[in-house]
Amino acid sequence: MLHPFQIEAVVSELNDAIGSEYVSVRPSDRLIYAADWSWMSQVWLDRAQPPTMPDIIVHPGSAREIGLVLQIAGRHGLPVVPWGGGSGSQGGAAPMYGGILLDTKRLNRILEIDEQSLTVRAQAGIIGTHLEWALNERGLTLPHYPASAHCATLGGYLAARGSGVISTKYGKAEDLVLEIEVVVPSGEIIRTLPVPNHASGPSLLQLFVGSEGTLGVITEATMRIEYMPEVRLFRAVLFRNLAPALEAGRRIMIQRLQPCVMRLYDPASTATMLRRVLGLEIEGACFILGFDGWSEIAAAQEARALTICNDLGGEDLGRTLGEHWWQHRYDFYYPPLALALPKMFGTVETVCTFTNIERLYATKKRIIEERFIKWGARYIAHFSHWFPWGVMIYDRFVIDSPPEDAREALQLHNAIWTASARASLAHGGVLNEHHGIGWKLGRLMPELYGPAWPTLLAIKRALDPQNIMNPGKLGFPVKRV
Amino acid sequence: MDDISLTTEYCRYCLMCRHVCPVTRVTANEATSPHGWALLVASARRGLVTWDDDAVDRLYQCADCGLCQVHCVTDQPLPDALIAVRATLVTNGQALASVAALDERLRHWGNIYSKDSSATPIRRAPAALLVGSEAWHRTPEEVQAAQRLLNTAGLEYALAAVGRDEGYLAWTLGLHDTARALAQTTREELTAIGAQRVIVLSPQQLHTLIYVYPRLGIPLPEDLEIVELTALLSRLVNTGQLALRPLTLEAVYHDPAQAPRLNGRGDAPRQLLRSIGVTLHEMLWRDRRAMSAGTSGGLPWTQSSLAAKMARKVLDDAMRTGVTTLITDAPETLAHLRTVADGIAVRGLYGLLAEQLRSSQVET
C-alpha cells in the first residue's frame, strides 16, 4: 500500500501523461479490480476478507500512453499489472502487490482486415466477441472460440496462450498470431517480425506470447482469420468407458481427419455436467465430434470418424445431441450452471502425449479422490484440445463443502493444485495447456523447467531490470529478479 | 436469500454479458460493468463496502437497458436487482442528491421539467395515445407528427399522460413510491378514457407498461392492447390504410433503449423505412445488441457526462457506416441524441413519415 502522499505524486504524473479522466483511485474501482476471475480472488472477497488492491487504476488509450505509464511506474518502482478482461482463472491479473493496474480495454479498435491474406490487425484490448461480430459482418471469423470470448480480450488470448472449442483444427491463440506490438518495461514500443514462420533468428513473437504481462504489455496483434465454413456438422457418440473413446480420438487425429471439435467427456463429467447443463441422461463417455468446411469434405471426414468410433464400440447418438451441445457450448459458464462458490473447484488441466494420457488421467483421479477424501473431493474431466501427438485433459476437482475459513480454504486449494500438478509433471505433462500460470502455479515453474529455469529468469531480468511487470506471476520473484 | 440477493451473488463473478453492456463499452471500466455492479452490491452485503458517495455514484451508472439480462442464458434479472438496491438507498436516505431533487419535481409536477401536466381534459375513445413527459416537453413536433399519422389513418384516439411521466424514470431511480403514484394516475386515466388499446411512442414506454407496472403492483387490465406506434404504423402501411410518398435517403436506424428486451421489435421500423424507399445501412450494434444511447436508467439526469458519451458513441457507430442521417423513433432518445449530434442529422421516425403523407390525405 502506498502512502497517500506517494499516491498523489504518482497520480499527478499519470494525469499529465494520459489525462485525469483515465486515472482512478476511487475505492469502488480499487475493490472491483482487486479480484480477477480466479477462485482464489473470489473466495477471499466471498468470505468478507479485505483483498489486496491496486493503488491506482489507469485506462490508457494507446501504446504510447502505456509506454508513459510504464516509465512512471519504473521511476517510482511500482508494480504494473496488465488487465484485459480479468477472466483468467490463475490469478494472472490479480494485483497481489498493489501498484498500478493497467486496463487495456480502451485499445479496442480494429485496424485492418486483409481479405486477401485473411488476416486481421486489431488493438489488444478489444473484446473477443466484438472482434468476432465485426468479422462475421463480412462472412469471416477468427477461429478462436474460448468460453471467455464475451469477456476476454485479444491481448488476453495471447498473454495466456488460450485455446477455444475449435482449436483442434485451427490451432490455439499462439498458432493464429502472425505479429504483435508490445510495450516493453522501458516504455519502448516494439514489433515482432511481420510473419511468424521464418528462419531469421529465434521467435521474439513467442517470447511475449504466454508471458502473462511479465515481460511487457501486448498492444496490438495480427491474427489469421478464415471464411465462415459452408457447413458445421456435429455428432455425439457414446462409449461405455473412456479407454476406447481415447483410442478413437487418437485414430481420428493420426489419420488427419481434421475435426474442429473433439470433446470427450469422461463418465463422471457425462453424468454430472452434461446432465446438469444440457439435460442429457446418458451414462458412459460422451464424445462430441464436429467437422466443418466444404460440405462434401466435412461429410466424408465425419463418416470416416464414425467408422473409427463404431469399430471401437461407440454408439452414434446422432446429430441432434451434437448440435445441441454446439448451441449451448457456453452455457456451462453461466450462473447457476457454472461451478461457483461456495464450492471449491479448480481446473488442473494439462497436456501430454497419447502414450501417457491414460495413466496420467488415472493417477490424477486417484490422487485427488483418495488424498482429499476427507473433503469429499470429486474429479471430473474432459478431453477437448487434440493434437497429432497427444491431447489436452481439462480435468477439475470439486469440493462441495470446503472450509469456511478463507485461509484454510486457500491452503487446501493450493495443496490440491500442487498434488495434481506434480502428478501431471510425473507423467510427461506440463503445468498448464491453455489457462496459464498466473500466481496459482508460479511456485511450480522451477520444477517444470528444471535447469532451463535460470534462462527464463535471465530473460526476465534483461527485459525488466526493475521488476515492475506483474510481480508474483509466472513464478518470477517479486522483489529482485 | 431472496431472489434479488441471489442474482447479485450469481452475477458478481460472471463476466458473460460484459460485452453487451453499453456503459462498459464507453467507460472500459470493470466497476461499471454488470459484474462490477453485482460485486459492489455483494461486497456491501459483506461489509467490505459502505454506501458512501463513491459507491452510490457507481451504482447509479447502470443504464438499466436490460442487455445483460437479454444475453444471459439463465435470464438473471440484474437490472431489477440493482434497482432494488437503489430503492433501498432511497428509503435509507443514501441515494444521490440529484435523485432526491428529481423526486421532488416528479411528485409536484408529474414531470422533471416543472411544468403543469394536467391541462388536457379527458375524452372517451377506443384508443389512447400515451404521450408522456419526454415527448411532450422535448420533442413536441414528434407528438404532432404521430397525431397526423393516426388522424390520416382514420384512427380514433385520445391523448393520455400529456406532459406527465408515465413512471419509468422514478422506477429506475429507485423512487418506487413516486413511480407507483404515477402508474396509478396513468391507469386511472386510461380507465376514464375507456381505451381498449394504448399506443405508446417508444419501447421504453412499452417496457414500463408491460414490465414495470406489474412490478409496482399496478398492472394494466389483461385485455388492454398495448402497441408501439411504430408497429401500428407498419401494420397500417402494410394493409394500405396509410399511404406514404417515396423518399430518396440513405440512413441508419437506431434501436432505442429497451428495444433489445423486445424480441423482433426491430423489424417494424426497418420495414417502414424500406417501404418508403429509404436505403438502410446497419450498425454493428443493432437489434438485440443495440446499445442504449444513454437515455435509460435515469442517466441523463444523474450521470449527464456518461449519458452524453453513450449518445456520442451511437452517433460515431452510425457515422462509421458512411451515412449522414440517423433515424430513431423514441422521443427521449431522439431528444438526447440531438444534444450531442455533430456531423450527422438525427431525425425522428414519426416526423419523417408524416412528411411523406400524400398531401390529399393529410389531416389538418
Side-chain angles (χ1 to χ4, degrees):
Chain A
M1 275 291 292
L2 293 177
H3 187 279
F5 186 82
Q6 294 169 312
I7 289 178
E8 283 308 313
V10 178
V11 165
S12 298
E13 291 185 42
L14 291 169
N15 286 348
D16 185 51
I18 68 171
S20 59
E21 187 181 351
Y22 304 112
V23 180
S24 174
V25 292
R26 289 178 67 153
S28 52
D29 292 355
R30 294 177 60 221
L31 175 83
I32 301 306
Y33 279 101
D36 64 4
W37 198 69
S38 64
W39 184 89
M40 302 81 72
S41 292
Q42 295 178 21
V43 77
W44 209 249
L45 287 176
D46 181 70
R47 307 294 159 82
Q49 299 299 310
T52 56
M53 291 192 283
D55 294 291
I56 303 163
I57 296 116
V58 295
H59 298 269
S62 66
R64 183 187 148 274
E65 288 186 355
I66 289 175
L68 294 173
V69 171
L70 298 194
Q71 286 171 354
I72 292 167
R75 268 202 300 280
H76 292 273
L78 287 176
V80 176
V81 181
W83 177 293
S87 56
S89 58
Q90 315 293 70
M96 296 178 70
Y97 299 97
I100 299 171
L101 191 140
L102 191 157
D103 189 326
T104 59
K105 281 198 287 295
R106 279 185 65 222
L107 280 75
N108 62 0
R109 286 186 298 130
I110 296 171
L111 302 169
E112 182 185 14
I113 297 174
D114 179 348
E115 294 199 36
Q116 183 153 4
S117 303
L118 281 185
T119 63
V120 61
R121 186 163 63 89
Q123 290 184 305
I126 191 168
I127 300 280
T129 296
H130 294 175
L131 177 57
E132 184 63 18
W133 283 345
L135 291 169
N136 291 168
E137 296 280 296
R138 299 188 187 203
L140 298 165
T141 182
L142 171 64
H144 183 67
Y145 299 173
S148 61
H150 294 341
C151 45
T153 59
L154 176 59
Y157 286 174
L158 294 165
R161 291 185 178 271
S163 63
V165 293
I166 57 173
S167 64
T168 296
K169 178 172 180 178
Y170 294 100
K172 297 178 65 196
E174 74 251 31
D175 304 313
L176 295 167
V177 64
L178 279 79
E179 178 190 9
I180 57 173
E181 177 189 80
V182 183
V183 182
V184 293
S186 66
E188 284 175 280
I189 302 167
I190 65 168
R191 299 189 78 86
T192 60
L193 300 183
V195 292
N197 303 103
H198 58 79
S200 306
S203 174
L204 200 54
L205 170 70
Q206 293 297 340
L207 174 64
F208 289 102
V209 171
S211 65
E212 300 187 23
T214 61
L215 302 180
V217 182
I218 299 171
T219 49
E220 191 184 302
T222 303
M223 306 292 288
R224 184 160 62 78
I225 55 177
E226 303 279 340
Y227 286 111
M228 291 295 282
E230 183 186 38
V231 294
R232 281 183 172 137
L233 307 175
F234 296 99
R235 207 111 200 167
V237 178
L238 187 64
F239 289 84
R240 282 195 186 161
N241 48 52
L242 191 60
L246 279 169
E247 174 59 13
R250 186 189 75 83
R251 290 187 193 177
I252 290 169
M253 290 307 296
I254 66 170
Q255 292 186 27
R256 303 292 190 264
L257 296 181
Q258 296 184 308
C260 60
V261 171
M262 287 241 292
R263 185 159 293 221
L264 169 59
Y265 292 90
D266 78 343
S269 212
T270 300
T272 55
M273 300 302 283
L274 292 188
R275 183 167 299 168
R276 190 156 58 92
V277 179
L278 301 184
L280 302 184
E281 298 284 342
I282 50 177
E283 289 182 5
C286 183
F287 208 160
I288 306 292
L289 297 174
F291 295 86
D292 69 359
W294 299 112
S295 56
E296 64 273 30
I297 296 174
Q301 290 169 327
E302 182 192 59
R304 178 60 70 103
L306 286 174
T307 301
I308 291 172
C309 291
N310 187 55
D311 289 347
L312 290 160
E315 177 193 354
D316 182 5
L317 299 180
R319 205 172 283 299
T320 306
L321 279 184
E323 288 168 352
H324 184 70
W325 175 88
W326 175 253
Q327 285 156 10
H328 297 275
R329 64 191 182 279
Y330 295 150
D331 290 11
F332 296 86
Y333 303 94
Y334 287 82
L337 302 174
L339 284 175
L341 290 164
K343 290 181 181 180
M344 176 186 285
F345 52 91
T347 302
V348 291
E349 51 99 342
T350 188
V351 60
C352 68
T353 58
F354 291 127
T355 307
N356 290 324
I357 190 64
E358 273 192 73
R359 277 185 298 128
L360 185 146
Y361 167 79
T363 304
K364 289 178 79 174
K365 183 175 174 63
R366 180 175 49 76
I367 284 176
I368 286 175
E369 292 186 341
E370 292 180 5
R371 199 176 292 179
F372 300 96
I373 191 170
K374 173 186 165 192
W375 293 101
R378 289 179 283 116
Y379 180 81
I380 57 176
H382 60 257
F383 304 80
S384 47
H385 307 292
W386 298 68
F387 303 89
W389 43 264
V391 59
M392 190 279 300
I393 173 173
Y394 189 111
D395 48 350
R396 293 166 138 185
F397 66 85
V398 184
I399 293 177
D400 291 331
S401 302
E404 185 57 35
D405 179 75
R407 289 163 187 79
E408 196 184 340
L410 203 51
Q411 284 169 15
L412 175 62
H413 199 253
N414 283 341
I416 299 175
W417 273 82
T418 300
S420 57
R422 286 188 174 139
S424 294
L425 299 186
H427 291 83
V430 290
L431 286 180
N432 195 270
E433 193 264 350
H434 71 269
H435 289 84
I437 297 296
W439 74 260
K440 182 81 250 180
L441 290 166
R443 66 189 180 281
L444 296 165
M445 286 286 274
E447 288 183 40
L448 173 67
Y449 277 85
W453 177 242
T455 304
L456 266 183
L457 277 179
I459 292 169
K460 166 73 173 172
R461 192 180 299 127
L463 276 171
D464 185 15
Q466 290 167 287
N467 199 19
I468 59 170
M469 295 306 304
N470 211 4
K473 314 297 166 57
L474 275 191
F476 293 133
V478 175
K479 292 295 180 190
R480 298 180 58 180
V481 184
Chain B
M1 191 173 281
D2 59 73
D3 288 349
I4 294 299
S5 302
L6 204 54
T7 294
T8 49
E9 291 292 308
Y10 283 157
C11 298
R12 64 188 165 144
Y13 293 122
C14 178
L15 308 174
M16 299 299 277
C17 62
R18 194 179 55 204
H19 64 304
V20 291
C21 176
V23 177
T24 319
R25 190 170 169 235
V26 167
T27 65
N29 187 345
E30 297 289 338
T32 48
S33 71
H35 136 77
W37 288 306
L39 185 54
L40 185 72
V41 172
S43 297
R45 192 176 295 124
R46 286 164 175 75
L48 290 168
V49 170
T50 53
W51 289 113
D52 56 12
D53 289 350
D54 167 55
V56 173
D57 182 59
R58 280 284 180 251
L59 186 71
Y60 272 93
Q61 289 184 338
C62 167
D64 180 32
C65 64
L67 256 75
C68 54
Q69 187 174 355
V70 167
H71 288 261
C72 177
V73 164
T74 57
D75 195 32
Q76 297 301 320
L78 183 62
D80 288 3
L82 300 182
I83 287 171
V85 179
R86 290 178 180 180
T88 303
L89 296 176
V90 166
T91 303
N92 296 340
Q94 295 172 296
L96 297 173
S98 57
V99 172
L102 290 166
D103 191 29
E104 199 174 310
R105 279 184 261 166
L106 285 168
R107 282 173 181 274
H108 184 79
W109 298 98
N111 61 61
I112 57 170
Y113 301 102
S114 304
K115 290 180 180 172
D116 191 9
S117 58
S118 58
T120 310
I122 289 173
R123 182 170 66 83
R124 287 190 70 80
L129 177 63
L130 193 79
V131 179
S133 167
E134 292 297 296
W136 187 255
H137 296 295
R138 299 183 76 191
T139 59
E141 73 283 1
E142 286 296 295
V143 179
Q144 291 160 12
Q147 290 183 266
R148 286 173 63 201
L149 290 161
L150 290 174
N151 293 343
T152 304
L155 267 68
E156 190 186 347
Y157 63 93
L159 299 183
V162 176
R164 189 182 67 245
D165 198 292
E166 71 287 337
Y168 172 75
L169 180 61
W171 155 261
T172 194
L173 294 176
L175 303 166
H176 289 181
D177 287 344
T178 306
R180 209 168 282 116
L182 290 165
Q184 181 68 31
T185 304
T186 301
R187 186 167 72 173
E188 287 169 2
E189 188 179 10
L190 293 174
T191 303
I193 290 170
Q196 291 110 49
R197 172 195 275 178
V198 185
I199 304 161
V200 298
L201 294 173
S202 71
Q204 193 145 288
Q205 283 186 330
L206 188 67
H207 168 69
T208 304
L209 267 54
I210 64 174
Y211 186 86
V212 175
Y213 277 21
R215 278 154 184 79
L216 290 169
I218 318 284
L220 294 175
E222 282 182 14
D223 58 351
L224 183 67
E225 182 195 0
I226 305 169
V227 61
E228 247 194 276
L229 177 60
T230 301
L232 180 61
L233 293 174
S234 179
R235 290 210 295 261
L236 292 171
V237 168
N238 285 345
T239 55
Q241 289 172 268
L242 196 62
L244 300 168
R245 286 182 289 120
L247 171 69
T248 302
L249 178 67
E250 289 196 33
V252 68
Y253 171 76
H254 167 63
D255 304 86
Q258 315 302 348
R261 294 187 196 251
L262 309 162
N263 200 9
R265 186 265 168 201
D267 296 341
R270 289 174 171 81
Q271 199 176 41
L272 262 175
L273 287 165
R274 289 196 181 103
S275 74
I276 59 169
V278 174
T279 302
L280 275 181
H281 295 237
E282 289 288 3
M283 291 184 275
L284 186 61
W285 300 85
R286 62 179 183 268
D287 287 328
R288 298 285 273 180
R289 60 185 181 223
M291 70 174 283
S292 163
T295 54
S296 52
L299 297 187
W301 324 115
T302 59
Q303 308 283 346
S304 57
S305 170
L306 173 61
K309 284 180 190 166
M310 291 169 71
R312 191 62 245 175
K313 188 67 109 178
V314 168
L315 297 178
D316 288 346
D317 288 343
M319 290 169 75
R320 215 167 286 131
T321 67
V323 302
T324 53
T325 301
L326 176 146
I327 301 167
T328 194
D329 36 6
E332 72 278 358
T333 301
L334 180 63
H336 182 63
L337 284 172
R338 281 176 174 166
T339 63
V340 297
D342 182 21
I344 186 165
V346 178
R347 300 287 313 268
L349 176 66
Y350 310 136
L352 186 79
L353 296 177
E355 284 176 14
Q356 301 313 114
L357 285 169
R358 295 186 186 282
S359 55
S360 60
Q361 283 189 313
V362 175
E363 174 85 14
T364 54

